Structures are given as C-alpha cells and as structure tokens.
Amino acid sequence: MHQYSIAEMSQGLERGDFTSVELTQHFLDRIDEHNAEINAFVTVTAELALEQARNADAVRAAGQAGPLTGVPFAHKDIFCTDGVRTSCASKMLDPFVAPYDAAVVERMREAGMVMLGKLNMDEFAMGSSNETSYYGPVKNPWDTERVPGGSSGGSAAAVAARLVPAATGTDTGGSIRQPAAFCNLTGLKPTYGRVSRYGMIAFASSLDQAGPFGRSAEDCAYLLSAMAGHDERDSTCANEPVPDYIGALDQPLKGIKVGLPKEFFGEEMPASIRESVDAAIEVYRAQGAEIVEVSLPNAHLSVPVYYVVAPAECSSNLSRMDGVRFGHRCEDPKDLQDLYTRSRAEGFGDEVKRRIMVGAYALSAGYYDAYYLKAQQLRQLISDDFKKAFEQVDFLLSPTAPETAFKFGEKGDDPVSMYLSDIYTIAVNLAGVPALSMPGQTVDGLPVGIQLIGNYFDEARLLAAAHQFQLATDYHKASPEAFA
Ligand code: GLN
C-alpha cells in the first residue's frame, strides 16, 4: 500500500479497496517500525490521524469525498498546528503548542487529508543538511550515513522511506528542491505568493514559500491543488485563480523551448552531475522540445545576495522569540534584559545565532546602505535576468544541487561550503519564480535532482513538463531498498 501514488490511493479509497482508517494505520505502523532509523518525524499524531481518517471514511460514505479525502500526509514542523507542538526543530519552540492552524494546514484538512504528524527540519529552516535540528539529524533513507538535504530533510526522508505518501515543506533558498534531489523525490517551490504564508513560522518573509513533496509531479499536482490560493491573512499572497493542476498534466512537450542557463553549465559542474543533466536534456529533446542556451548574467551574485537578505529578515523575524511570548524561557531571570538574553542564548542553536548576528549587522545604521540596500538592488537585477530569459523560453533546466547527498559532518566546520549547496536554487527564490526538482539518473547509486524553473504562476505547465518527463523515464519510481 505504501508504494501507491496519490492517484492510486485516491482511486483505491473510492473503489472501496481499503478505507482511510486502514491506510492511515498502515502508515502509522511503518512510522513505528522505521522512524527511529531516520528520525524524520518529531511528533506523531496517531490518535488525531485515526480520528481524521474515520471522519474521511464517513465523508466518503456520504458521497462527499474529494480526490484527497482520506489520503495521509505530514507537515514540516514549521506550520502552526492547533493543539499540536510546533517546534521549528528549535529548543526555543520545543514547548510551543500552536493556538491556531496555518492556512496550509487548514486547507489540507478541508481537502480531507489525514495528518500523521510533524516532520523534522533544520532549526528554523536554516541549513542544507538537516544537521542543525534540536532533535538530532535526519538520515537519508538511501544511505543512512548521509544527509537527506535540508532544511525540509524530515519531509524528504519520510516520503522517500514511504513512511508517508506525501509531505509539505518550505523553500527559502532551496529547502524543498535540494532535499527532494538528495532523496529521489519530486518537490515544488511555487511562485512567491501562490501559497499563503499565514501561520508558517517566518524565516525570511520575502523568500519563504510552502510547497509539496511527492514521488512524482502528479503527486505534487494533487497536493498543490489543495495548498494554493488567495488568503486575505497574508498580504503577499496573490489573488490569482488556481488552475486545474491535475487536468493540465497531459500537455505534450512538442514545440516547447527549454533554456540552459550558460552560467550554470560552467566548469564548476561536476562531470557526474553533468552526465545526469545531459541525459535529462536528451529526454526533452526526444519528446520534441527545443533546447537553447540562455544567460542569467547576474546569477553568480545570488548566494552572496541571499546571505545578506535572508539573515537580515531572519534577525527581524526571530526577534519575537524573546522568552516572553513564545516557547523557551530561562530559569530565574534577574531582570528583563537577563530574561531576553539568556532565553535567546539558551534557545537558539549556533547556525541560527550566526544568521541573527550577520543580519543585525547588515541592517545596522552604518551598514544598511552598503549591505542590505545593495543586496536589494542586485536582487532586482537577478529577477530581471529571469524575466528576460522567459521572453525566449518556456522553462529553464539545470541540476538542483552541485552534488549528491554528502556524509554527516562533511561540511560541519565550513558554513560557506554548506551555503554553496544552494548555488542553483537560490536565484529562483530571489526572483520569486516557481521551480521544481525531479529525479534524474543516479550517480553511484545516489539520487540526482534535475531542476526545472518556470515563469511566474506557470506551475501548471511546469508540473506538466515534469509529468511528461516522468512518463518517459523510471527514475522517480526507484525507492530505497532498505525501506521497500
Ligand atoms: N540552505 C538555505 C539556508 O540555509 C536555504 C534554506 C531554506 O530554503 N529554508 O538558508
């Protein structure tokens, strides 16, 4: 049952081959059996899940089921869930039980989906390896000596190990796409504003976007249909109609133009990754797509620009974690200042502190123009590059990451080498366009992600282009043997 796609589960439920309670229990049993090996779940909400499943079965019996009614999934622990701990994998929020549901949580519940629990992540979504979690690292089901990617590493590992059929994640600089790449999944970062950020704990508000993890583009289309849409409670959420993502999957590739950004195809791209990307390009060519070279002349500035903008926004967003209103509070504070400083010193991990310090520095009076303002100007140039590229082509194709899953500790002492993990993904967040990662040809038995980038609000065609690729290839069907 755990190898079914979302569509197969939905059809099986509709035919009465199994109930949502049976399906849910099957996945809860798998979590019981395997979660300790990979540490993907930080909270399992078994009772709540079974209650939602019973409810879904009743809705179906009454003839009111939608395509997702009764299908299990899980949330990254960055989404507020009413009455359930919402930790962001930080000691700071370890005791925090959210008093309300995030918009995404609400929507998926309204679609009838069954939440199995909350998934591990890098602390406050800062990282590319899931090594910064307060609850310990997540392991990659393909090789448990390796990282699953980050920051949505728990989401990726749980779906890859088939502990859950699908999951939500968030992507500020690559955190859906890079773990999807490392774990052989399809993961989509929608256009900035496509999905409401209400109730999603903020890291860098102008970059954060929620999206789905699934085995295939088709799975992602099902999930995005539930997640996307206008929400008045997030002023940056776009008032754009939500197209029929599932119905749009069958668009042929003939005649579409796929651009290869020449700046991404330089000497730095390792030969093994290049081979996998070349194989993907051939699949598109064989299906009638035209492959052209394009240029993103300012893309090389993305990582430095991001590491000013993201820390600046995080230093501001995380100032609310002060020991007074949320989560961790130090013991016996002497006075208010002591309460603030000790609660924050104890509650945040090293990477989060590093980002807060960099951000506070970049925003300080003497440096604001030199760093933050400059970064915002460069960000505009990066966005303009994408706009120009999309005047020539329908999609851009690149690797998702410059490597396959690396070993634990490999980048531990060198934050910059960790930051470079996102070299192909970050420009997309700075511009706000949608992009997905899908499985390509493996290297030494490890998954490689192929990134497809689309124009603003073009998710339907982007998912269709990935779906057509997946009709022609089997890469996405492979799952780790140890969790078969
Ligand atoms: N790896 C990047 C960072 O550490 C991106 C994280 C994310 O997308 N949330 O900031």
Side-chain angles (χ1 to χ4, degrees), residues 310-372:
E313 293 184 13
C314 103
S315 78
S316 164
N317 276 326
L318 269 55
S319 61
R320 75 192 65 169
M321 313 285 166
D322 55 8
V324 176
R325 286 167 290 186
F326 304 101
H328 177 73
R329 178 178 296 177
C330 68
E331 299 267 332
D332 304 324
K334 276 203 315 284
D335 52 26
L336 188 61
Q337 188 64 30
D338 186 43
L339 168 74
Y340 289 152
T341 50
R342 238 168 358 101
S343 299
R344 285 167 67 84
E346 291 167 9
F348 292 135
D350 288 349
E351 183 60 26
V352 173
K353 285 178 185 153
R354 176 165 27 233
R355 306 268 181 125
I356 291 173
M357 284 190 282
V358 169
Y361 180 84
L363 288 177
S364 59
Y367 296 103
Y368 181 91
D369 288 355
Y371 292 109
Y372 190 68

Side-chain angles (χ1 to χ4, degrees), residues 358-392:
V358 169
Y361 180 84
L363 288 177
S364 59
Y367 296 103
Y368 181 91
D369 288 355
Y371 292 109
Y372 190 68
L373 196 64
K374 191 79 182 170
Q376 290 293 21
Q377 289 163 343
L378 294 174
R379 181 175 183 180
Q380 188 58 51
L381 296 179
I382 294 165
S383 302
D384 292 347
D385 285 355
F386 280 98
K387 287 185 192 128
K388 285 194 199 109
F390 286 122
E391 284 167 13
Q392 301 164 49

Side-chain angles (χ1 to χ4, degrees), residues 76 78 121-129 150-152 170-179 189 203-204 207-209 306-307 310-311 351 355 418-422 425-426 429:
K76 182 176 183 178
I78 196 169
M121 54 185 280
D122 274 305
E123 184 181 5
F124 285 107
M126 298 171 196
S128 301
S129 66
S151 65
S152 315
T170 61
D171 191 313
T172 305
S175 279
I176 291 176
R177 290 160 287 159
Q178 186 253 20
K189 182 207 89 76
F203 162 13
L207 300 160
D208 297 341
Q209 187 62 199
Y306 174 89
Y307 279 99
E351 183 60 26
R355 306 268 181 125
M418 186 75 85
Y419 297 170
L420 288 173
S421 262
D422 294 317
T425 49
I426 275 182
N429 301 74

Side-chain angles (χ1 to χ4, degrees), residues 396-474:
L396 302 173
L397 187 148
S398 78
T400 305
E403 64 217 330
T404 51
F406 45 90
K407 293 208 162 147
F408 289 100
E410 209 172 296
K411 296 180 198 273
D413 305 330
D414 183 2
V416 175
S417 86
M418 186 75 85
Y419 297 170
L420 288 173
S421 262
D422 294 317
I423 191 158
Y424 301 122
T425 49
I426 275 182
V428 164
N429 301 74
L430 291 167
V433 291
L436 57 80
S437 178
M438 59 186 180
Q441 179 183 302
T442 55
V443 169
D444 300 329
L446 290 172
V448 174
I450 305 296
Q451 177 172 237
L452 264 193
I453 307 170
N455 206 346
Y456 295 98
F457 296 102
D458 209 5
E459 286 84 0
R461 288 206 312 152
L462 188 60
L463 287 165
H467 179 65
Q468 296 303 316
F469 180 87
Q470 293 178 334
L471 288 177
T473 58
D474 280 340

